[in-house]
Amino acid sequence: QVQLVESGGGLLQAGGSVRLSCAASGLTFGQYFMGWFRQSPGKEREFVAAISLSGSNTYYADSVTGRFTISRDNAKNTMYLQMNSLKPEDTAVYFCAAPRVRLAIPRSPSMVGSWGQGTQVNVSS
């Protein structure tokens, strides 16, 4: 059974930084593309970033490009999302995601097979 556990959220100020972590178990982590999504109240869950098996290729939503960095440590079965230059519009619950098909880039919620429970990020102006 796949388990994804996020951590690292909190209350932050605009312009600040935070790093989210996603600890994975129940899957051969290094053989899966992985991704981050977020969801704000009243909005649909949206793609934030994704990363290839080795971490050599990364993919970002336009809204976070240049501010967020996704990375992974396969030896620790952990993925990260470094979030810099935070804006109030980044306020959301952030979810770790593993795709249904391990070599698929999880760019949409329909492609996700396993979700974490989410971690709240609140950015005040």
Side-chain angles (χ1 to χ4, degrees):
Q1 182 178 357
V2 177
Q3 275 199 313
L4 304 173
V5 180
E6 302 94 336
S7 61
L11 179 60
L12 302 136
Q13 290 192 329
S17 298
V18 67
R19 188 177 79 160
L20 306 184
S21 298
C22 170
S25 61
L27 75 169
T28 309
F29 181 72
Q31 295 185 9
Y32 278 78
F33 276 73
M34 295 291 295
W36 287 98
F37 287 75
R38 67 186 181 186
Q39 189 167 20
S40 305
K43 294 187 177 181
E44 293 186 353
R45 196 167 296 190
E46 64 176 2
F47 169 76
V48 174
I51 190 166
S52 61
L53 306 187
S54 66
S56 58
N57 293 305
T58 55
Y59 313 85
Y60 297 96
D62 290 344
S63 58
V64 306
T65 296
R67 300 188 298 121
F68 291 8
T69 302
I70 188 172
S71 61
R72 66 192 297 165
D73 185 338
N74 289 340
K76 296 182 178 179
N77 286 359
T78 302
M79 177 176 66
Y80 305 98
L81 185 67
Q82 178 67 41
M83 304 166 61
N84 297 331
S85 302
L86 286 164
K87 303 176 180 180
E89 50 263 46
D90 293 322
T91 294
V93 178
Y94 284 74
F95 297 91
C96 174
R100 297 181 188 277
V101 178
R102 64 181 180 88
L103 297 182
I105 304 170
R107 287 185 179 273
S108 70
S110 64
M111 300 179 70
V112 175
S114 300
W115 295 100
Q117 84 288 352
T119 185
Q120 179 73 48
V121 173
N122 286 316
V123 183
S124 62
S125 56

